[in-house]
Amino acid sequence: MKIIINKNLYFFIQLVLLCLLVGIVSSFILPSKFYNDAEIIVNDFHNEIGFIGSYPFTILFYKITLLKFIPYFLVAIIQLPILYFVLYKIGVPLDFNRLNTKNFLVYIGFFLIALFICIPSKEFINFIYLTLIVFIFKDKKYSLQKTLGLSFALFVIFGLFFRSYYLFVPVIATLMYLFTFININNKTIKTILFSILIAVAMSFSYKLIIGKYISESTREMHNLERLRSDEAQSMIQSPIPTDSWYGETFGVFYGYISVNIPLNAIHQLLKPQVMAFIIWQLFVFYLLYLRFQKCIQNRSAFRYELWVFLFIFSYFVVQGMFEPDLGSAVRHKIGIFPLIYFAIYYDKFSIKKR
């Protein structure tokens, strides 16, 4: 057993070092569009610095930590080891050194961390913060009720101070959980479909209060401003206007498919980097679906783990309403990678951290 653990840990360290090298090199050669957020964070063009809002808070964070004043390759050297150490603290899974589908998807995830968070990024904060929720569920120090209370509070705080759409996650997750008690066939698929319908209902409620549907006032409006930009090729735009109840319903389903099962992006076939992202999302979604199904079927044995899947799939629904393009969809999935990492390996960790 000790030999297996040592081999897995040794491979984990090798992978991290390779990804660190990739991150350092990437900080020099990334296309200009990768630097858009980083430039906003470092330069604060509109004096947004503050405590509330993802950009204001991130700008403040990088100013306080002085990371905004150093070259990007040094940011990579500082940030990336912290993120990989967080994953190490979650645990090193058994057979991590063996090449199989599950591990291969996680290896790619490690490289995507290096690619997207090697420069100043909101995802660095996102990644670290959501790890708190993983530790709460992994350690099981508290009752499930107290664990849920703490995690819900963390989502609410994050939603109020950083990204407002996180406020939707505990609501959707709770309704999904209640739906899993219904005795029906194909429970996992129908629970996911129910979660999308919850999002549609929320959007209709938003329309009654604000006057516009959610995806209409976020994703679609944002994309209208980018129609002739370089990012327009990968943006997610519903083929049906989302200013009607049926258009918004279709738009929410279309958005969910686009960010999680992006078969509608097959026209990007001649762009290898886009196709790589699409394939990764497809397989990660399917793997998580199978693991989610296992937890639903054995809910008494995996009471804590089930909620992690509910949070993940609730977040996927939220992505379907808000994500403007495929690149953002992948980047934001990396922001919740600690949850995904734990969900993939929750029963396979060989090194337990206290």
Side-chain angles (χ1 to χ4, degrees):
M1 177 61 72
K2 290 184 177 179
I3 295 176
I4 294 175
I5 292 175
N6 289 337
K7 283 184 178 180
N8 288 306
L9 182 57
Y10 181 66
F11 181 82
F12 183 94
I13 294 171
Q14 286 182 310
L15 181 63
V16 166
L17 292 175
L18 180 59
C19 290
L20 179 59
L21 178 61
V22 169
I24 294 170
V25 173
S26 296
S27 67
F28 290 103
I29 64 174
L30 287 173
S32 59
K33 63 181 180 181
F34 272 82
Y35 294 104
N36 289 344
D37 276 8
E39 291 298 305
I40 293 172
I41 292 167
V42 169
N43 296 304
D44 190 12
F45 298 114
H46 304 293
N47 192 28
E48 297 179 79
I49 190 169
F51 288 95
I52 299 178
S54 58
Y55 273 119
F57 187 86
T58 306
I59 292 168
L60 178 65
F61 170 82
Y62 278 94
K63 181 178 181 180
I64 291 175
T65 58
L66 305 180
L67 291 175
K68 66 172 288 183
F69 301 107
I70 62 177
Y72 288 162
F73 79 92
L74 290 179
V75 173
I77 291 174
I78 294 171
Q79 287 188 169
L80 293 178
I82 293 173
L83 300 181
Y84 295 124
F85 180 73
V86 162
L87 296 178
Y88 165 74
K89 293 294 288 183
I90 292 174
V92 179
L94 287 167
D95 298 328
F96 189 65
N97 62 320
R98 293 187 179 180
L99 185 59
N100 53 43
T101 302
K102 180 190 302 183
N103 288 341
F104 184 67
L105 292 173
V106 173
Y107 301 162
I108 294 176
F110 273 53
F111 280 100
L112 291 176
I113 291 170
L115 181 65
F116 286 114
I117 318 183
C118 64
I119 54 181
S121 170
K122 291 179 286 185
E123 304 316 315
F124 179 74
I125 297 172
N126 210 103
F127 193 107
I128 298 297
Y129 189 89
L130 292 185
T131 301
L132 297 175
I133 294 175
V134 174
F135 286 144
I136 291 173
F137 277 91
K138 180 176 184 292
D139 293 341
K140 299 180 182 178
K141 291 182 179 179
Y142 308 108
S143 66
L144 181 59
Q145 291 74 17
K146 191 171 184 178
T147 298
L148 288 175
L150 289 171
S151 61
F152 282 12
L154 288 171
F155 275 120
V156 170
I157 292 170
F158 207 45
L160 292 174
F161 287 92
F162 198 73
R163 282 176 166 156
S164 58
Y165 56 67
Y166 275 101
L167 294 171
F168 292 99
V169 172
V171 177
I172 298 174
T174 300
L175 293 174
M176 288 177 68
Y177 177 73
L178 296 175
F179 187 82
T180 62
F181 283 98
I182 299 176
N183 188 18
I184 53 176
N185 295 326
N186 301 318
K187 186 178 291 186
T188 309
I189 293 177
K190 290 177 180 177
T191 300
I192 292 173
L193 291 175
F194 177 69
S195 70
I196 304 174
L197 290 175
I198 295 170
V200 173
M202 286 181 167
S203 185
F204 287 178
S205 300
Y206 189 84
K207 165 74 172 179
L208 292 175
I209 298 171
I210 305 299
K212 286 188 176 182
Y213 297 107
I214 291 179
S215 68
E216 175 193 4
S217 61
T218 55
R219 180 185 69 221
E220 300 299 321
M221 185 173 293
H222 179 64
N223 281 337
L224 282 176
E225 301 172 358
R226 307 189 305 163
L227 282 176
R228 292 175 178 81
S229 67
D230 293 336
E231 297 173 332
Q233 295 179 345
S234 65
M235 71 183 188
I236 300 167
Q237 190 169 31
S238 174
I240 299 176
T242 56
D243 56 358
S244 63
W245 69 266
Y246 56 87
E248 176 67 359
T249 301
F250 179 85
V252 172
F253 275 87
Y254 181 84
Y256 188 90
I257 295 296
S258 297
V259 300
N260 298 302
I261 317 170
L263 296 175
N264 55 335
I266 198 69
H267 63 278
Q268 304 281 351
L269 186 62
L270 298 180
K271 297 179 179 178
Q273 74 280 10
V274 176
M275 287 304 300
F277 290 164
I278 290 171
I279 292 171
W280 183 77
Q281 287 190 100
L282 279 169
F283 279 93
V284 166
F285 183 87
Y286 182 64
L287 175 60
L288 290 172
Y289 167 80
L290 293 178
R291 304 286 281 171
F292 184 31
Q293 187 177 50
K294 178 182 178 181
C295 283
I296 290 179
Q297 292 171 346
N298 302 274
R299 61 188 313 133
S300 60
F302 302 115
R303 294 182 305 137
Y304 286 80
E305 293 80 3
L306 174 60
W307 277 96
V308 174
F309 283 97
L310 291 169
F311 291 149
I312 291 172
F313 279 92
S314 297
Y315 181 79
F316 288 171
V317 173
V318 172
Q319 278 196 301
M321 292 191 288
F322 289 92
E323 293 295 3
D325 57 72
L326 293 174
S328 296
V330 176
R331 186 174 72 251
H332 293 157
K333 276 189 172 63
I334 296 305
I336 68 160
F337 192 78
L339 289 171
I340 294 175
Y341 182 77
F342 175 72
I344 290 176
Y345 291 125
Y346 65 84
D347 56 350
K348 299 292 183 181
F349 291 122
S350 59
I351 299 177
K352 295 182 179 179
K353 300 298 165 189
R354 296 179 181 177

